[in-house]
Amino acid sequence: MSGLVVVGASYAGIQAALSARDSGYAERITVVADDHLLPYQRPPLSKDFLLDKVTQDNLVLRDDAFFKLKQIDLILETRVHAIDRHARKLSINGNTVLDFDKLFIGTGSHARRLALPGSNLDGVCYLRSIRDAADLKERLRHAAEIVVIGGGFIGLEVAASASKLGKKVTVIESAPRLLERSVSPLVSQFLLDLHTRHNVDVRLNDTVAGIEGQNGRAAFVTTQGGACLRADLVLVGIGGVANDQLARDAQLNCTNGIVVDDHGMTDDPGIFAAGDCANHYNAYAGDWLRLESVQNAQDQAKAAGLAIAGKTGPYDSVPRFWSDQYDAKLQTVGISRNFDRQSVRGSLESGQFSVFYYKQDRLCAVDSINRAGDQMAARRLIGSGISPSPEQAADLSFDFKSLLTTINAVGA
Ligand SMILES: Cc1cc2nc3c(=O)[nH]c(=O)nc-3n(C[C@H](O)[C@H](O)[C@H](O)COP(=O)(O)OP(=O)(O)OC[C@H]3O[C@@H](n4cnc5c(N)ncnc54)[C@H](O)[C@@H]3O)c2cc1C
């Protein structure tokens, strides 16, 4: 037996290896990763790292000593090129072959590329890895005018960081509102006002036509709406794409990511996947989802690690995400898609509020700005299927603990 091989050493890969080991998996565990560094945190790359509040060293998730302690072999700077499912072998580094008994795929996602005239010019950047972030930080230092393409999480976080650094920032978003796929119109409007207050020029309902260069470097961004914006630096944040090519080539079932069950298992019972590269049926959404969040990567990989060790503990976490922009911490729990009623707790003017979303009288999601306590309660309420009434949610004197105590008392 060759044990477990994990491809990718980020949140999902490391969690799967640890969870398998801690659940009693006694065989060899090998993690293969194409990164040149020890596994590191990605969320600070668009925030504190750009602002010089943390260094590369602060971002390391687990050090060498930890992997030794857990008897997990880490092979860095090595890319897995192919999976031979029938021979149970992986090909790495040209001719080298690695046997596996069980395989975990935690290959994550990559930034969607812009395919427009000028998109290959120097100064057109993406943000996914620590290498990208170090490059972006250096370029930001010398740039005065920045155009961000895409009003999603990455684009808005970089816009906030660049604005804090005193840069002139323009965000171009093709949708009629910011973060259209993730938050409700009310939260979109709050974020639009927040960025506008910080002098970020947000242009909705417009798309980029092309990027024009001077001496081989990006210099202007033109839009379908007729704008021509000066740009020393262009950051493209137009979404992520699952790294599922390895799995596709191995004929594993893939649809917008590697299709897995609630144990992270693919249609091959010895092969598992989780995190940004995986697509699963999410009970809270009532739909198939590929989530890009730290919490999802870790919780899903935890379930996969248990299954690899022969234990059960299916993935059943309420989806969660957070984003930091200026002094606003946005936290979201649940899936608000298709909600039919909302209730606001706190006030938008104070910059501290939560929006409770309901689908047929059932609480399905809560977005909060600077109200972490609401998130803690909402996580438990949604997880237990208990809904405060919209009136209770809006009443700041109403304590959710009273509902949660009832849940505990009945053993829910
Ligand atoms: C700038 C930024 C900010 C973010 N902010 C937040 C946030 O505030 N909150 C939040 O919840 N989430 C945030 N995210 C998303 C979060 O980081 C991801 O959801 C999470 O990293 C997913 O973990 P993962 O292990 O599935 O994949 P990844 O972190 O993408 O890791 C996959 C790893 O596999 C490696 N790999 C891929 N293919 C191969 C191969 N063939 N061989 C070897 N190695 C391979 C990749 O190089 C990579 O290191 C942010 C992401 C970015 C980029």
Side-chain angles (χ1 to χ4, degrees), residues 18-235:
L18 281 181
S19 160
R21 185 60 92 219
D22 291 346
S23 310
Y25 187 80
E27 310 297 323
R28 188 171 180 176
I29 301 182
T30 310
V31 179
V32 188
D34 61 2
D35 275 316
H36 63 300
L37 279 179
L38 281 165
Y40 57 86
Q41 302 170 51
R42 282 180 206 269
L45 297 181
S46 46
K47 312 165 186 116
D48 288 355
F49 183 77
L50 292 183
L51 297 171
D52 268 336
K53 288 189 182 166
V54 293
T55 64
Q56 189 167 293
D57 291 345
N58 303 135
L59 300 183
V60 170
L61 279 170
R62 303 284 188 186
D63 63 9
D64 271 327
F66 182 82
F67 290 107
K68 278 206 183 76
L69 181 74
K70 294 287 176 183
Q71 293 181 296
I72 295 172
D73 298 326
L74 192 57
I75 307 177
L76 294 177
E77 285 188 274
T78 303
R79 196 165 174 77
V80 172
H81 291 289
I83 304 167
D84 181 340
R85 280 168 61 189
H86 304 290
R88 300 317 239 192
K89 288 178 190 305
L90 299 179
S91 70
I92 57 172
N93 287 350
N95 298 329
T96 315
V97 159
L98 205 60
D99 296 322
F100 67 87
D101 172 35
K102 299 236 163 82
L103 178 66
F104 176 88
I105 308 174
T107 46
S109 59
H110 60 273
R112 178 171 288 119
R113 313 303 283 190
L114 191 70
L116 282 174
S119 40
N120 289 328
L121 284 163
D122 186 29
V124 179
C125 302
Y126 295 83
L127 179 54
R128 182 73 218 168
S129 66
I130 200 154
R131 273 202 172 112
D132 299 336
D135 177 57
L136 182 63
K137 183 153 77 166
E138 183 56 26
R139 287 173 184 272
L140 266 172
R141 207 192 299 266
H142 305 290
E145 297 179 63
I146 291 135
V147 172
V148 172
I149 302 177
F153 285 111
I154 303 264
L156 292 180
E157 289 177 359
V158 172
S161 300
S163 157
K164 274 185 166 177
L165 291 169
K167 312 295 172 181
K168 182 172 185 301
V169 187
T170 306
V171 175
I172 301 171
E173 167 56 56
S174 56
R177 62 185 181 87
L178 296 174
L179 287 171
E180 192 183 33
R181 280 175 297 134
S182 311
V183 299
S184 68
L186 198 141
V187 178
S188 294
Q189 186 60 46
F190 174 83
L191 291 172
L192 175 62
D193 294 342
L194 180 69
H195 280 274
T196 307
R197 276 204 305 281
H198 285 86
N199 299 321
V200 172
D201 178 3
V202 180
R203 300 185 176 211
L204 301 170
N205 294 307
D206 200 1
T207 52
V208 175
I211 302 167
E212 287 171 15
Q214 274 176 352
N215 306 321
R217 292 182 50 84
F220 296 96
V221 174
T222 55
T223 73
Q224 299 286 2
C228 180
L229 306 158
R230 259 216 65 83
D232 314 310
L233 181 58
V234 180
L235 187 276

Side-chain angles (χ1 to χ4, degrees), residues 27 61 114 157 171 217 260 267 271 282 284 292 322 334 362 365 378 383 392 398-399 405:
E27 310 297 323
L61 279 170
L114 191 70
E157 289 177 359
V171 175
R217 292 182 50 84
V260 294
D267 53 329
I271 305 184
N282 189 287
Y284 298 99
E292 291 185 8
W322 83 92
R362 194 181 169 99
Q392 287 171 332
F398 181 77
D399 190 347
T405 314

Side-chain angles (χ1 to χ4, degrees), residues 174-367:
S174 56
R177 62 185 181 87
L178 296 174
L179 287 171
E180 192 183 33
R181 280 175 297 134
S182 311
V183 299
S184 68
L186 198 141
V187 178
S188 294
Q189 186 60 46
F190 174 83
L191 291 172
L192 175 62
D193 294 342
L194 180 69
H195 280 274
T196 307
R197 276 204 305 281
H198 285 86
N199 299 321
V200 172
D201 178 3
V202 180
R203 300 185 176 211
L204 301 170
N205 294 307
D206 200 1
T207 52
V208 175
I211 302 167
E212 287 171 15
Q214 274 176 352
N215 306 321
R217 292 182 50 84
F220 296 96
V221 174
T222 55
T223 73
Q224 299 286 2
C228 180
L229 306 158
R230 259 216 65 83
D232 314 310
L233 181 58
V234 180
L235 187 276
V236 183
I238 53 172
V241 180
N243 287 330
D244 58 5
Q245 195 60 46
L246 264 184
R248 279 176 195 278
D249 292 346
Q251 260 112 54
L252 288 166
N253 186 12
C254 294
T255 311
N256 179 28
I258 308 166
V259 175
V260 294
D261 69 9
D262 56 7
H263 300 279
M265 192 190 285
T266 67
D267 53 329
D268 181 323
I271 305 184
F272 297 77
D276 283 17
C277 68
N279 192 340
H280 69 288
Y281 184 81
N282 189 287
Y284 298 99
D287 205 352
W288 287 85
L289 285 185
R290 190 178 68 76
L291 293 168
E292 291 185 8
S293 82
V294 167
Q295 170 266 335
N296 174 67
Q298 289 181 323
D299 288 354
Q300 215 174 23
K302 218 174 271 178
L306 276 171
I308 288 165
K311 308 266 168 60
T312 50
Y315 172 75
D316 182 28
S317 304
V318 187
R320 294 200 305 280
F321 190 86
W322 83 92
S323 173
D324 295 307
Q325 295 166 37
Y326 312 103
D327 54 356
K329 178 172 273 302
L330 164 68
Q331 290 170 287
T332 157
V333 56
I335 306 281
S336 59
R337 208 182 280 173
N338 303 327
F339 69 92
D340 50 40
R341 187 166 177 189
Q342 69 183 29
S343 178
V344 179
R345 186 176 179 86
S347 74
L348 276 70
E349 299 71 43
S350 69
Q352 292 185 342
F353 66 95
S354 293
V355 190
F356 286 64
Y357 303 100
Y358 294 84
K359 217 181 284 175
Q360 291 166 355
D361 295 331
R362 194 181 169 99
L363 181 68
C364 58
V366 178
D367 289 337

